[in-house]
Amino acid sequence: MLTIDQEIYDAIVAHARRDHPDEACGVVAGPEGSDRPERFIPMVNAAGSPTFYEFDSTELLALYKDMDARDEEPVVVYHSHTATEAYPSRTDIGLASEPNAHYVLVSTREHGNSEGPVEFRSYRIIDGVVTEEEVTITPQQTETVQSQKRSTP
Amino acid sequence: MAIEVRIPTILRTYTDGAKSVEGSGGTLSALIDDLEGSHPGIKERLVEEKAGSVDLRRFVNVYINDEDVRFMGGLDAELSDGDQVVVLPAVAGGAR
């Protein structure tokens, strides 16, 4: 199951809407082993395409070095499909290389850049096997709760 | 000649879970052969044979001291003692 804050959920959806009709992509990093997506990092789609996404290779290295320095890992890897359903394509499955990540797919095919409901689904993709999972959205955290959370070892 | 090689999660099955390993070689190609000796199977995940010549896989990124080897001659990129090599699978996909 993916548990994600409302604020981050909204940020992913907003990014997908903004970049429509091109695919949007990014990660949400979190402390290694925690399974908590906490730090939203939108990435540039270097492919700039409505049917493909790829992180720029230099930005990819910077991202991983930064996560490494913070003892983080990519808890969520997200991208959008702009004309098809929010389900991993053959390419998505073949290239999935983070066995610990939740692969989030958002489809903007219904409303494009406009407001309106979007499909937001999450999957595990391990060794070519796709398993859909439930998404639980937690209400926006208050500042107090967040600082308590940070002090928890 | 020791070169530190950072291994991504997906390839740590070849390194007993190690995040980084040491290897040697004067070129990236030689380094990958050396790694294959100590971590059998890893080479196949990094390179592929296409039209009779061996090249880096399209969706594998390799960096030497933070520079993408695609801009440094690919498998022929030169290495020296103390260099740091990072391997990162591309984060990519698409609608088809």
Side-chain angles (χ1 to χ4, degrees):
Chain A
M1 181 176 76
L2 169 65
T3 305
I4 191 164
D5 287 354
Q6 182 74 55
E7 196 183 353
I8 293 174
Y9 175 98
D10 291 345
I12 293 173
V13 170
H15 184 200
R17 280 197 183 117
R18 194 166 62 238
D19 283 12
H20 181 93
D22 284 348
E23 293 196 6
C25 55
V27 306
V28 187
E32 224 173 302
S34 70
D35 206 32
R36 289 200 313 262
E38 292 183 347
R39 195 163 66 91
F40 171 70
I41 311 161
M43 300 291 290
V44 169
N45 178 2
S49 157
T51 54
F52 198 76
Y53 81 96
E54 182 171 12
F55 291 8
D56 171 77
S57 87
T58 306
E59 289 177 12
L60 177 75
L61 177 66
L63 169 70
Y64 273 77
K65 285 178 73 166
D66 189 31
M67 288 193 293
D68 212 39
R70 297 165 182 255
D71 291 318
E72 289 177 338
E73 62 184 351
V75 178
V76 166
V77 177
Y78 74 86
H79 77 283
S80 62
H81 284 173
T82 58
T84 54
E85 70 170 323
Y87 191 87
S89 66
R90 259 186 313 167
T91 315
D92 292 335
I93 298 164
L95 295 178
S97 53
E98 286 294 351
N100 301 327
H102 302 267
Y103 281 88
V104 163
L105 274 108
V106 171
S107 175
T108 52
R109 66 176 166 173
E110 292 286 339
H111 299 281
N113 306 109
S114 329
E115 293 294 313
V118 293
E119 256 187 290
F120 185 107
R121 295 163 71 180
S122 182
Y123 309 86
R124 295 288 190 170
I125 308 176
I126 299 165
D127 292 332
V129 179
V130 178
T131 313
E132 184 158 13
E133 59 183 3
E134 206 178 308
V135 177
T136 301
I137 302 162
T138 50
Q140 207 154 325
Q141 307 268 358
T142 68
E143 242 170 65
T144 334
V145 174
Q146 270 204 345
S147 56
Q148 275 170 359
K149 209 166 150 192
R150 282 204 195 95
S151 62
T152 311
Chain B
M1 196 163 91
I3 293 155
E4 190 201 353
V5 185
R6 307 280 296 172
I7 305 292
T9 311
I10 190 102
L11 297 182
R12 289 181 197 155
T13 46
Y14 299 97
T15 61
D16 294 320
K19 285 185 176 184
S20 94
V21 297
E22 278 200 354
S24 63
T27 60
L28 179 58
S29 182
L31 173 70
I32 291 174
D33 285 336
D34 180 62
L35 291 178
E36 176 67 15
S38 35
H39 310 284
I42 202 165
K43 181 177 178 177
E44 212 265 322
R45 302 292 299 269
L46 302 176
V47 302
E48 64 186 339
E49 215 181 298
K50 247 195 323 207
S53 73
V54 174
D55 204 354
L56 268 181
R57 287 186 175 275
R58 159 73 177 87
F59 292 106
V60 172
N61 296 308
V62 179
Y63 308 86
I64 299 173
N65 303 331
D66 295 350
E67 198 170 340
D68 190 329
V69 297
R70 287 197 171 84
F71 307 114
M72 306 169 72
L75 287 175
D76 297 327
E78 285 178 15
L79 286 164
S80 22
D81 206 6
D83 280 351
Q84 196 199 43
V85 172
V86 175
V87 178
L88 282 178
V91 179
R96 288 172 188 154

